Every structure is written in structure tokens, then in C-alpha cells.
Amino acid sequence: MGNNHDSIALDWVRGEIQNTLTQGQHALESFVDNRKDTARLRFCLNYLHQVHGTLQMVELYGAALLTEEMEKLTQAILGNQVNSENEAVEVLMQAILQLPQYLDHIDSSSDDFPLVLLPLLNDLRAARGEALLSDTSLFKPDMSPARARGNSIDDRLQEPKVLDHVRKLRQMYQFALAGVVRDADLEANFDYMQKVIKRLVRLCQKTPRGELWKAAAGFVETLQLRANPVNAAVKSLLRELDSEIRQLTENPGTALAQAAPEALFKNLLYYIARARELDSPRILALRADYQLAQALPSDDDVDAARSRVSGPNRDAIHSVVNALNEELAKLKDSLDLFVRADLRSNDELEDLLPGLHQVANTLAVIGLGVPRKVVSEQIDLLAQLVRQDQRVTDNTLMDIAGALLYVEASLANLGQDGQHEDINQRDLMNPGSRELGDANSALLRESRNTLEQAKSAVVNFIASQWDTREIEHLPALLHSICGGLRLIPLERASELLEAMEGYINDVLLSSREVPDWQQLDTLADAVTSIEYYLERLSDGIRDNDSVLRVAEASLESLGFPAGQVPTWRPRADINETDIPLVDAPLLDALSAPTLDAGAPPDELLDDEIVGIFIEEAEEVLATIQEYYPRLQRNHDDRAALAEMRRAYHTFKGSGRLVGASSLSELAWAVENLLNKLIDQTVKPNDDVFSLISDANAHLPQLINEFRAGNPQGDVANLVARAEAITTTRRADTNTNTNTNTNTNTNTNTNTNTNTAINTPAS
């Protein structure tokens, strides 16, 4: 809940606040009438400062937060630090009008409930180009238990054996994280995460990091039980958790003594607090320890309170709707007369602008964000038409008329029942669409998804000890992003991705050079900075030069400066001792999360990791036994084929993770064959199903041999048969199309690998 207050204190200052706000409103209106009279705006700022001080004095911190944002926006207007002065003034006026309604709410409920002001607070911040607040900004759990848990420094991570176990746990976590990022087999991957977190909880117990991992376990549990959506914010937190595991491996002497990052901790608790319907022992304990029930109000409370303060009352809305409809009718009549005129001048369209400005301002006051945006677009269009010499086409004029009809329809819905149906639409709109448009926002979203696939390919490349088959499709993926970004246009980002494409083509694929860790870190910096740039654009953040400069510097150091001729030259020799091991920092930069802690370090045994693998292997075998007969009966059963491919993909990845080399090699060969079946470059026949049947039958033996300590089973014959089928079919295809008779040429690589990527995988 919010903070409860005695209404007597508010009663003492209520009249003074209202009078001061009225004076501020009049001062702002005077400034609107004469934008050169900045003295009036300074008067408004002084009045807001007085209200802010009064609200702080009576400890109405939610209301004070609103006036603080109003002050900052007024200062930004005075300093010419806003992108649109008109928009900033409109939002400021809206806040002045809504503050008394919020005070009415406090008076009737004695609840200073700042969460209900979040949309208005974000409007004020957006008007001055500031990052938006999230619900967690107003989420106030009791953090004292986290600060009180342990302050001792121990050397449990100093033991090489323990540190090696932590590295393996991190690899397992990253394997699961890669699946979650791709939205693949979430149930299994969350289960992996929980098993890793359970061991980290035991490792970090009685240290400052211990409570963090308990919260991480609760957070992942809410995802497992679908109490929270697996969205971009959640994936970002999971990546941050991986960074926390990395701290254990990179700073073993001090990591356990360091306090957990409070922002990350609060975010984890916030998602646990949101999962109100869950009542597991772990969730109940965290809810009690950190007083989460009191830290976050219920959705019903937020909706009810927001409805009381979000806009004018019923009678006021009807009055406003009537006035708007009258103004719209005048605008439509004027437009109609212009269309029908035999002789018309573009200058006559200027007469429509004052009326449209008035409509836009009124829509802003009552919170109709989407119709206001439509009207603002028509204002910009008309301003351009007035300045141009050529005759305005009838189609353009009809588009303007259609926009006015849309606004009328929105008002009709609003006026029928007095409900503010559009009040939250400005929050539902993607902020990035204001700058780039809806289509461009969708393109950005798709580009970010494709970049996630590219990151996963690099992770698999490292985990496979530099198997270039994992990144054969990567240049095509990056090239597809380049083309999309040029349409927006985002030329600078497109050039950076082209340079990255060149590095992967020339260095990793053509020259087959094995990069050192410094190069991998640099590549990771470039990938993540471009991803962060696209994410900021999607969130409506425009100041991104510094983000792209990181990618530019990274690619330049790799010898592939954006938009320029590469400076990289092949190495003459590669020393095997220079080849890095799989414990790579790049996997950090491409992924990341946090967790919980606590138990004797000598209990973290290799057998536990092997046990997890064996347990999963048996589950995957059951999947194969269920779906393979279906595929044998019906070769066109795409669902069964996808499940088979998923199963062998899991064997490949987890087998590599634990060192089951023969099993993973066989799984890679069969998965590759199944990919060819999926994209129909290999046709199902007796040879194909004979090979898959023999591979299925051999899997239990390989698993048992690995359990007994022998990871080098005999799979050479099966792998050769699988490769022969795929290679022969590929050679046949090449011959028939007269493209290439060389059976070692990877024809159709882009099609095949893209299909594999888009097929769900664990």
C-alpha cells in the first residue's frame, strides 16, 4: 500500500496549495500567449517550488515527487532543453490540473499512493528527454534483511576445485540462458537455472551475497509458474544474474564479501511481489522477510486510485467532448469547401492550423494521447503543404479528412459512457514509435530478435571449441539486419553490422583464425553495444551517440572500421597454445543473470553436474521414444520432426557442456540431417530412417558409457553415414542446378541454417 497520512495536515495547507497552483496555472497560460515573456514562466516555477516545499513539509512524498518533476520540466523549458516546447507546456499544464485531483484522492483515502501517478510522471520526464520510471522506481521493500546477512570474508572460492565447479555451473547457466533468450523449451531451461541457483545458494550462504541468490531462486520460480511474463526486462535480469556468477570466478578473493547490487536485488524482489497468487514456501519466506505485501499495492488498488485521479469527471468530459466535436465540425466544413473550390491556394490551408492546435491541446489535457498524436501529425503535414508550390492532391486532403473522422470516432466512444477509454493509450504505445513510426518499431523489434540469434550462434561457436559450422549462417543473419536498418534509415548502425559481418566472414570463416580472448571481448562489446542501441531506440531514447561509439571503437580495433576498407591482415601462423579454452568472457557479454547462495564448498562435486545431465538425457530419450514412431508413420508430421530435432539439439549442447564428446558429435550429425529434412533439401527415405533408428538405439549405450566415465564411445560409423546422406544430397542439388559440383561447397547454407534457427530448440 501507499503511505497513510492524517488528513488534518493536508487540510491545513490545502487552500494554500490550491491558490498557489491557480497562480502557477495563470502564469503558464500567460507564457503560452506570449512565449517571449519568460518572466511569467519563472513565476510559474516559483509557485511550483512553493507547492513542492509545502508537500514535503507535510510528508506527502508522492505528491511532492510529482511537483519535483514539474519543477524540472519548467527549468528545462526555460533553458531551451526540451525537444518540443509545445508538448512540454501541454504536459506541464496537465500536471497542474491533475495535482488537485490527486490531493482529493489523498483526502478521501488518506493514502499517498505515488504509483497511480506513474503515467503522468513519465509524461513529464519524457518531455525533457529523461529516462522513464518503472514500477520498481516506486517499489519500496524493506531491504534491512539483505544488509544484515553476514559480513565475514572467507576463502572458500580460493580453492581451485571449488572455483572450477563454479565455472562449470556458470556454463550450465549460460546454456539455459541461451535457450530462454530464444524462448526455447522454457520449462527445461528454467529447471536448469534452478539447479544451478540451488548450488550457488549453498555456496554463498552466510555471506553478503547469500540473500541475493535466494531472491534469484524466487524470481526464477515465478517464471517457472508463469506468474510473470518472460519479456525483455526479465531476460535482462537473467543476464545480470550471469554477471554475478562471473564475479565469483573473476574475483574469488573478494566477491563473497561484496554487497549485492541493490538495483538488481530490488528488481528481483519486485517480480516476486507481483506474483501475489503464489504461496510456495520460498515465495512466502521472501515475502515476509522483505515485507513485499506492503511494498507493492495490488493491481485493483492501482486501477481504482488511478481512475480517481487520471482525468476530469463525467460532466467535465461531456462538456469537453461537445466542444471538441463543434471544433471538428468547423474544420471538416472548411476542408470540404477547400476541396470543392475550382481555384484554390495552398495558403488557405493555414486557416485550419489554429483550430487543429486547439483540438490537440484539449486532447492532451484530457489524456487522449493517440488522437492527439494523429492531430499533431496533420498539423505538421498542413504546415508543409502551405509552404509548397505544387497543388495539393485530393488524396492528401482525403487523408486529412480521414484523420479528423478518426478523432471524432474516438470522442464518440468517450462521450457515450463518460469513460476515459483512451486514458492509458499513451502508455500502451511503444515510445519508440513516436520517433520512428509503428512500422519502424516493428522492424527494430525484429532486428533485435535476429541479433539475439546471432549472439546465440557465437555462444555455440565458443562452446563447440570453434566449430565454424555454428556460425556459417551468421553473415547472412547480420546482412538481413543491415538491410532492415537501412529502411528506417539507421545508416550508422547498418555500417557497423556490415563491418562485423566482414570480420566474421574474413577472419572466422574464410581464414579460420582462432580468436584470442581479447578479440572475443572486443567482438562482444560491438554486439552488445549495437543491441543496446536498438533497445534504447525502441524505448524512445534518442541520445545514443556514445553507445555506438563503443561499437565503432571495437570494430576498428579488430581491423574492420565501419564504412572503410578493412585494415586486418591474416596471421601467418597460429600457435596451438594460443587457442583459448571454453571458459570465455565473451559468454558473459553475450548473456548474463544473478542468484542465491549457501553450503559447504566441498559438496559442489562434478558428480552433481553429471547427474543433472544424466537426468535430462533420460527425459530427452523419452521424447525421442514418443515422437520418432510418429515420424516413421507419417513423414510429413512437422511437429514430430521438430521435436526430434529439438531432442538432438539438446544432446549436442548439453553433451558439449559436460564433455560427452562422442554423444555430442553424433547428436550434431543427426541434428544436421534433421535440419535438412526440415528445410526439405534432403528427402525422407529408407537410408535416412535407418540411420536415425540406429542412432536412437545407440544413445542409451553412449549415456551409460559416459555415466561410467568413458566419454569416447564409438560413433564414427554413424556420423559418417549421416554426413554421407547430407553431403550426397547436397552434391546432387548442386549438380542439378549447375551451380557447383564440389561436394564440399556449403550450398544453401543460409537457407538451411536459418531454418534450423527458427525451429524451436532447447
Side-chain angles (χ1 to χ4, degrees):
M1 260 306 176
N3 301 313
N4 293 323
H5 292 275
D6 190 340
S7 61
I8 296 177
L10 178 58
D11 289 340
W12 285 346
V13 298
R14 184 76 172 280
E16 176 190 344
I17 289 175
Q18 184 60 63
N19 290 336
T20 307
L21 282 175
T22 300
Q23 291 175 297
Q25 179 182 342
H26 292 331
L28 183 59
E29 290 170 347
S30 298
F31 171 72
V32 171
D33 292 337
N34 180 8
R35 296 297 176 92
K36 295 181 179 180
D37 189 1
T38 56
R40 296 297 173 185
L41 192 57
R42 294 188 184 279
F43 287 151
C44 179
L45 178 61
N46 290 334
Y47 293 135
L48 292 175
H49 187 71
Q50 291 177 34
V51 173
H52 182 223
T54 302
L55 292 171
Q56 283 189 313
M57 180 183 68
V58 296
E59 298 183 349
L60 294 175
Y61 296 116
L65 177 62
L66 178 59
T67 54
E68 178 184 335
E69 291 295 338
M70 292 160 68
E71 277 192 80
K72 289 179 179 178
L73 180 56
T74 308
Q75 290 169 339
I77 297 171
L78 281 168
N80 295 318
Q81 296 172 338
V82 294
N83 291 323
S84 171
E85 186 178 279
N86 289 336
E87 180 181 339
V89 169
E90 289 167 7
V91 172
L92 185 58
M93 181 64 76
Q94 183 181 349
I96 290 175
L97 294 174
Q98 285 197 17
L99 180 55
Q101 297 166 34
Y102 182 65
L103 296 178
D104 288 341
H105 155 68
I106 296 176
D107 191 36
S108 61
S109 66
S110 299
D111 190 10
D112 186 14
F113 199 8
L115 200 59
V116 305
L117 295 171
L118 192 57
L120 184 55
L121 290 168
N122 278 338
D123 282 347
L124 291 164
R125 294 174 68 85
R128 58 188 180 92
E130 195 69 21
L132 304 185
L133 297 170
S134 67
D135 288 3
T136 54
S137 304
L138 303 173
F139 172 58
K140 303 295 182 185
D142 178 9
M143 297 297 291
S144 56
R147 301 184 184 106
R149 300 295 170 96
N151 53 13
S152 60
I153 300 177
D154 58 51
D155 58 357
R156 69 185 74 172
L157 291 180
Q158 302 291 333
E159 300 178 28
K161 183 177 180 180
V162 174
L163 199 56
D164 186 55
H165 292 324
V166 176
R167 290 194 183 100
K168 290 180 179 179
L169 287 173
R170 181 163 182 244
Q171 285 182 308
M172 181 172 291
Y173 183 90
Q174 290 175 327
F175 175 80
L177 177 60
V180 172
V181 167
R182 296 193 304 267
D183 295 318
D185 202 0
L186 294 180
E187 184 176 350
N189 284 310
F190 282 137
D191 189 49
Y192 266 138
M193 285 184 175
Q194 284 290 33
K195 289 172 180 176
V196 172
I197 293 172
K198 176 182 177 182
R199 287 156 178 81
L200 289 168
V201 169
R202 292 164 52 201
L203 173 66
C204 300
Q205 66 182 354
K206 298 181 181 178
T207 73
R209 294 272 165 156
E211 290 298 300
L212 174 69
W213 292 113
K214 289 183 184 177
F219 169 62
V220 174
E221 183 175 339
T222 70
L223 304 179
Q224 287 179 294
L225 299 176
R226 294 178 172 81
N228 282 309
V230 185
N231 53 25
V234 163
K235 291 175 183 178
S236 177
L237 288 177
L238 292 173
R239 291 188 180 99
E240 288 187 57
L241 287 173
D242 179 63
S243 294
E244 292 303 309
I245 307 178
R246 182 185 63 189
Q247 291 298 318
L248 299 179
T249 61
E250 292 186 351
N251 303 300
T254 59
L256 292 181
Q258 295 173 355
E262 186 162 313
L264 171 61
F265 208 147
K266 280 185 60 179
N267 274 295
L268 299 177
L269 293 175
Y270 169 73
Y271 281 94
I272 295 169
R274 282 181 45 168
R276 297 183 178 89
E277 67 278 14
L278 300 185
D279 58 357
S280 69
R282 177 189 288 129
I283 297 294
L284 290 175
L286 288 166
R287 196 174 288 153
D289 286 348
Y290 295 94
Q291 300 184 33
L292 300 184
Q294 293 75 33
L296 187 68
S298 71
D299 293 336
D300 290 341
D301 290 338
V302 172
D303 292 340
R306 192 170 281 167
S307 67
R308 293 195 292 269
V309 300
S310 60
N313 60 31
R314 187 186 189 90
D315 292 336
I317 285 180
H318 279 295
S319 175
V320 170
V321 168
N322 290 336
L324 282 170
N325 281 328
E326 290 177 6
E327 188 63 40
L328 286 169
K330 294 177 184 177
L331 290 168
K332 288 193 300 178
D333 289 342
S334 300
L335 190 61
D336 185 60
L337 290 173
F338 182 84
V339 171
R340 295 174 186 274
D342 293 330
L343 297 174
R344 60 197 192 196
S345 169
N346 291 357
D347 294 340
E348 296 171 13
L349 291 174
E350 194 168 3
D351 296 337
L352 298 174
L353 291 176
L356 285 172
H357 278 294
Q358 183 175 339
V359 170
N361 293 340
T362 307
L363 290 171
V365 169
I366 62 175
L368 290 173
V370 176
R372 174 180 172 272
K373 182 175 183 291
V374 171
V375 173
S376 297
E377 290 170 350
Q378 307 317 307
I379 292 172
D380 293 339
L381 175 60
L382 282 171
Q384 293 176 9
L385 296 176
V386 168
R387 293 192 298 268
Q388 75 179 28
D389 294 328
Q390 60 266 38
R391 179 186 175 94
V392 181
T393 65
D394 288 345
N395 287 340
T396 301
L397 296 172
M398 293 307 295
D399 287 342
I400 297 173
L404 297 179
L405 289 173
Y406 166 78
V407 177
E408 265 194 335
S410 301
L411 293 173
N413 292 334
L414 185 65
Q416 285 173 2
D417 55 8
Q419 296 302 310
H420 212 323
E421 292 184 357
D422 194 45
I423 191 68
N424 288 324
Q425 288 204 30
R426 63 177 176 276
D427 302 312
L428 298 176
M429 289 175 58
N430 183 346
S433 66
R434 300 171 188 171
E435 181 180 0
L436 301 172
D438 292 338
N440 292 345
S441 294
L443 202 157
L444 273 182
R445 189 164 53 250
E446 192 60 35
S447 297
R448 291 168 60 194
N449 291 339
T450 306
L451 200 56
E452 283 287 357
Q453 295 176 8
K455 288 165 54 181
S456 297
V458 177
V459 170
N460 291 337
F461 173 62
I462 298 167
S464 66
Q465 293 289 355
W466 327 117
D467 186 341
T468 56
R469 291 176 295 182
E470 296 286 4
I471 57 171
E472 285 176 340
H473 64 289
L474 194 48
L477 277 182
L478 296 175
H479 192 74
S480 69
I481 303 175
C482 293
L485 294 181
R486 279 203 190 90
L487 295 175
I488 293 182
L490 295 174
E491 289 289 346
R492 189 176 171 194
S494 180
E495 287 183 352
L496 288 168
L497 286 168
E498 280 185 343
M500 194 182 303
E501 179 188 345
Y503 172 78
I504 293 167
N505 257 328
D506 296 352
V507 179
L508 302 184
L509 291 177
S510 298
S511 297
R512 292 183 177 269
E513 288 196 5
V514 177
D516 57 36
W517 287 126
Q518 183 177 357
Q519 291 174 312
L520 289 173
D521 280 339
T522 304
L523 176 63
D525 289 341
V527 174
T528 52
S529 62
I530 294 174
E531 182 187 33
Y532 184 44
Y533 167 75
L534 297 179
E535 182 180 337
R536 286 169 63 90
L537 272 184
S538 296
D539 291 338
I541 302 172
R542 301 177 185 178
D543 183 14
N544 297 309
D545 285 348
S546 60
V547 178
L548 284 185
R549 278 198 293 271
V550 174
E552 288 173 341
S554 299
L555 289 165
E556 188 172 351
S557 69
L558 289 173
F560 287 82
Q564 301 178 37
V565 177
T567 59
W568 170 83
R569 295 292 177 269
R571 287 185 289 182
D573 299 299
I574 300 176
N575 190 330
E576 288 187 2
T577 59
D578 293 333
I579 297 178
L581 300 176
V582 168
D583 291 326
L586 176 61
L587 292 176
D588 309 328
L590 296 175
S591 329
T594 29
L595 297 120
D596 212 51
D602 54 0
E603 292 184 30
L604 283 168
L605 303 176
D606 285 333
D607 290 344
E608 293 185 349
I609 296 177
V610 173
I612 293 173
F613 168 72
I614 297 298
E615 179 183 328
E616 183 201 31
E618 292 171 350
E619 294 172 357
V620 176
L621 279 177
T623 299
I624 290 175
Q625 292 165 3
E626 176 184 354
Y627 286 97
Y628 185 59
R630 282 178 45 180
L631 186 60
Q632 284 181 303
R633 290 192 300 269
N634 178 10
H635 297 172
D636 294 327
D637 189 338
R638 305 294 289 181
L641 181 57
E643 289 295 334
M644 287 292 297
R645 186 264 177 191
R646 183 201 303 267
Y648 273 96
H649 179 85
T650 301
F651 272 134
K652 178 191 72 175
S654 54
R656 286 171 174 171
L657 184 68
V658 299
S661 53
S662 294
L663 177 61
S664 62
E665 184 64 19
L666 175 61
W668 164 252
V670 177
E671 181 193 357
N672 191 37
L673 174 58
L674 292 169
N675 284 336
K676 301 297 185 289
L677 290 176
I678 288 172
D679 61 31
Q680 299 181 346
T681 55
V682 167
K683 301 298 182 184
N685 58 26
D686 291 343
D687 289 343
V688 169
F689 283 98
S690 174
L691 178 278
I692 297 175
S693 296
D694 291 347
N696 292 346
H698 197 48
L699 287 174
Q701 178 182 336
L702 292 173
I703 294 170
N704 288 331
E705 289 175 351
F706 177 74
R707 192 201 312 261
N710 177 23
Q712 302 294 335
D714 182 12
V715 297
N717 181 53
L718 289 170
V719 170
R721 286 170 58 190
E723 292 181 346
I725 294 172
T726 55
T727 303
T728 301
R729 293 307 173 111
R730 185 165 62 242
D732 291 343
T733 300
N734 294 344
T735 302
N736 292 337
T737 57
N738 295 320
T739 56
N740 195 337
T741 57
N742 185 347
T743 58
N744 292 323
T745 300
N746 289 330
T747 306
N748 296 327
T749 296
N750 294 343
T751 303
N752 299 344
T753 49
N754 276 321
T755 304
I757 284 175
N758 293 325
T759 304
S762 43

